[in-house]
Amino acid sequence: MTLTDRVADICRAHSGTEGALLPILHAVQAEYGHVPPLALPTVAKALGVTVAEVQGVVSFYHDFRAAPPGRHVLKICRAEACQAMGGAALAEAAKARLGVDWHGTSAQGVTLEPVFCLGLCAAAPAAMLNGVLAARVDATRLGEMLAEAGA
Amino acid sequence: MRIFVPADALARALGADAVAEALVAAAAARGETVQIVRNGSRGMAWLEPLVEVDGPAGRRAFGPFAPVDAAALFEAPDAHPKALGLTAELPFLKRQTRITFARVGVIDPADLADYQAHGGLSGLRRALAMAPEAVVDEVVESGLRGRGGAGFPTGIKWRTVAGAGIGQKYIVCNADEGDSGSFADRMLIEGDPFALIEGMVIAGLAVGADRGLVYLRSEYPDAIAVLTRAVDLAREAGLLGPSVLGSGHGFDIELRIGAGAYVCGEETALLNSIEGKRGTVRAKPPLPAIEGLWGKPTVVNNVLSLATVPAILAQGAAHYRDLGIGRSRGTMPLQLAGNVRFGGLFEVPFGLTLGEIVNSVGGGTASGRPVKAVQVGGPLGAWFPPALFDTPFGYEEFAAAGGLIGHAGLVVVDDTADMLALARFAMEFCAIESCGKCTPCRIGSVRGVETIDRIAAGDAAAEPLLRDLCETMRLGSLCALGGFAPYPVLSALNHFPADFARTSEAAE
């Protein structure tokens, strides 16, 4: 099935939903790992809006990616509660280990992203690797997490 | 033998799933039958994963529990190295007055019968027997105010929507809990999702709305899963659907997932996001209560506001109103976070002083160093120095002290914290998360970062500029993001001038 056909299917599955754009974009990203620019005209046509409007929404929200991430996605919380417990040092350790800055993808295929609060503020600092949450993370624990994930 | 192992996201992030597996394996090895209940969290982060075992005298607590502790639990529980005694006797829990969180950590969040056995649905049943106006009156009478931060009286908002004619109306639950230091919405949804559902149904009955939407953030995958399952179960049981509990009144709930934009916690940005638009802020008026979702009258309430309504209806407005101080009635689920020894959720009537909360409840810092400051109310809240620790916890009391209580998240930092760096972070965060609609926020936050960098480089002339910029942002921004970002910046500057007094040499 071509990307256009599959995206059209996703749009049809949301035809009964009011304000379906975000649910559609989430579904597209769940399937492809990102929102391919080629999908936008199909989404726009299904919803009766312009491609520019869809693009405007995609680019507004931090979650939606225009390109595929690495095989692993590591999110580290940058917010105040995590800063209070060494979150900034943890982020620096992650950058050094992976050899990338925020939003970069390491040679081993780990994409490093900032996140502002995972709601684990009473057991800071917090991180999320491939959708799995971790609390009270230090550099050692971070290394273990990456090793367990094979990264 | 019934064993409770929290499935709360924080407990799971500290290994609760592995603990549950180890307990099952240890029981099997001894030929014992156990029932593992995945409850919510009791809210004591330093004891998670907190395992509880049913006993004749009540539930006994063990924690923080590791998989290696499993076998001993079946051999000699009283002598277990992680034994904490009866859960109900733990000082952190015993000092609380739990109304909103009464069932969180106690019940199985996927069991509607367990919910009802602990008082669930009694508020809705009472509401169904009342006139809608009387339900609104009861909420007004309780003194409940918006727990999301703005503190607007919930009942008054409902009265506006109820009076906004007939036709389509909506109940929107704001579960976009993006404030650092806040996790009460997450814990409530993961631990007692039916309370939120029941509160939304009551709101629908009271104002004449038959559709509810919950806007939940994507950063909370566990809460999304728990609430999705709870809505399905509620529909199967007839709590949601064309005739709520056979009353003839219809109400149903749909989940919408955010996409990582902090500003969508602002109610009008949230409405735009549900409509499938960029999450930009709308100018008010019109108020959402008059023209909200798709232009229809809409109640937008925080998770905690809605989840408290069933208890108010069940126990009567007076029971709730009689707690608290001044115009802050009832209880507030405080969230202790950051560098704090006893972090977690602590629900008490308004009125404790900030110092009692931080030192007596929270036990000071986790690092053991002196407390330098506490940020109350999220990234847009003011930093309070110990000199202001006599401030009683209440909406007006905190406003008078130059801050806000917000969603009641408290982030503690010790004396190693650099308040200039934290002020800079507040501006940087605002710049990253600004929706871009209004200039003071969009441009002001970027200029704020630059101006703080000048101060850091020893340029004393930049300080008045920063104060002027903050004033412009405070007065000129459309919403609280740009309007309140000056709170953490100016409070840091005013209370910790030494952190901003850098000489040129020091910077070089």
Side-chain angles (χ1 to χ4, degrees), chain B residues 214-299:
Chain B
V214 180
Y215 188 89
L216 189 48
R217 61 201 299 260
S218 63
E219 293 87 343
Y220 285 180
D222 294 41
I224 293 169
V226 171
L227 190 57
T228 301
R229 182 183 56 194
V231 166
D232 287 344
L233 291 170
R235 220 173 266 142
E236 282 168 28
L239 170 58
L240 294 174
S243 179
V244 169
L245 299 181
S247 64
H249 295 284
F251 193 82
D252 215 326
I253 291 178
E254 192 185 330
L255 254 69
R256 290 300 176 94
I257 310 306
Y262 174 78
V263 75
C264 288
E266 196 283 332
E267 61 178 1
T268 61
L270 186 153
L271 295 175
N272 277 341
S273 187
I274 293 177
E275 291 182 9
K277 300 171 184 162
R278 292 163 68 89
T280 49
V281 171
R282 300 176 184 174
K284 290 190 273 194
L287 294 171
I290 307 292
E291 284 182 41
L293 194 60
W294 289 293
K296 304 296 185 191
T298 303
V299 169

Side-chain angles (χ1 to χ4, degrees), chain A residues 16-23 26 47 52-53 55-64 75 77-85 102 114-124 127-128 131-137 141, chain B residues 9-10 13-14 45-46 170 178-183 186 211 217-221 254 256-261 264 273-279 294 336-339 343-344 375 379 411-413 422 425 428-429 432-433 435:
Chain A
T17 305
E18 281 180 284
L21 185 49
L22 262 70
H26 275 304
L47 296 178
E53 280 171 275
Q55 170 60 31
V57 170
V58 171
S59 65
F60 182 87
Y61 294 95
H62 300 304
D63 280 3
F64 299 130
K75 297 187 182 204
C77 180
R78 284 194 64 202
E80 291 87 347
C82 286
Q83 286 184 43
M85 291 299 283
W102 292 121
V115 63
F116 293 98
C117 200
L118 293 164
L120 308 179
C121 323
M128 187 190 241
V132 179
L133 293 166
R136 288 196 200 112
V137 183
R141 178 76 192 111
Chain B
L10 183 141
L14 293 171
W46 73 99
Y170 296 98
D179 287 353
S180 175
S182 294
F183 45 84
R186 179 187 64 68
R211 281 195 63 193
R217 61 201 299 260
S218 63
E219 293 87 343
Y220 285 180
E254 192 185 330
R256 290 300 176 94
I257 310 306
C264 288
S273 187
I274 293 177
E275 291 182 9
K277 300 171 184 162
R278 292 163 68 89
W294 289 293
L336 285 150
N339 195 339
Q375 186 176 32
V411 174
V412 180
V413 297
L422 286 162
F425 177 80
E428 183 192 1
F429 178 72
I432 293 170
E433 298 297 334
C435 82

Side-chain angles (χ1 to χ4, degrees), chain B residues 292-383:
Chain B
L293 194 60
W294 289 293
K296 304 296 185 191
T298 303
V299 169
V300 185
N301 279 157
N302 172 254
V303 174
L304 302 183
S305 313
L306 288 163
T308 303
V309 164
I312 289 170
L313 266 292
Q315 296 164 17
H319 178 258
Y320 196 75
R321 183 204 57 213
D322 290 348
L323 301 168
I325 55 163
R327 290 176 52 213
S328 305
R329 312 310 312 172
T331 59
M332 191 75 203
L334 307 170
Q335 300 128 78
L336 285 150
N339 195 339
V340 63
R341 190 168 168 211
F342 302 124
L345 187 126
F346 193 87
E347 181 177 352
V348 271
F350 287 95
L352 282 187
T353 68
L354 183 56
E356 286 171 319
I357 295 167
V358 172
N359 293 318
S360 163
V361 176
T365 63
S367 61
R369 301 182 66 91
V371 173
K372 181 163 186 174
V374 185
Q375 186 176 32
V376 184
L380 309 175
W383 289 98

Side-chain angles (χ1 to χ4, degrees), chain B residues 15-76:
Chain B
D17 291 353
V19 166
E21 283 168 27
L23 286 166
V24 170
R30 295 174 58 92
E32 284 196 43
T33 316
V34 289
Q35 183 199 351
I36 305 279
V37 177
R38 300 304 300 269
N39 57 333
S41 169
R42 295 281 193 165
M44 296 173 285
W46 73 99
L47 294 178
E48 293 289 2
L50 181 81
V51 167
E52 290 176 86
V53 179
D54 251 347
R59 279 153 70 162
R60 284 175 297 165
F62 303 84
F65 211 89
V68 296
D69 299 322
L73 192 67
F74 300 97
E75 285 152 16

Side-chain angles (χ1 to χ4, degrees), chain B residues 383-463:
Chain B
W383 289 98
F384 279 74
L388 291 176
F389 273 14
D390 58 349
T391 311
F393 208 85
Y395 292 96
E396 282 67 32
E397 292 75 8
F398 263 59
L404 49 105
I405 65 168
H407 193 44
L410 298 100
V411 174
V412 180
V413 297
D414 71 13
D415 61 350
T416 63
D418 176 355
M419 301 312 292
L420 179 142
L422 286 162
R424 185 188 190 279
F425 177 80
M427 283 293 190
E428 183 192 1
F429 178 72
C430 183
I432 293 170
E433 298 297 334
S434 175
C435 82
K437 179 137 177 172
C438 72
T439 313
C441 172
R442 184 183 70 242
I443 307 288
S445 54
V446 176
R447 294 288 173 261
V449 172
E450 295 166 358
T451 311
I452 294 173
D453 282 345
R454 281 175 56 186
I455 296 175
D459 181 356
E463 191 194 307

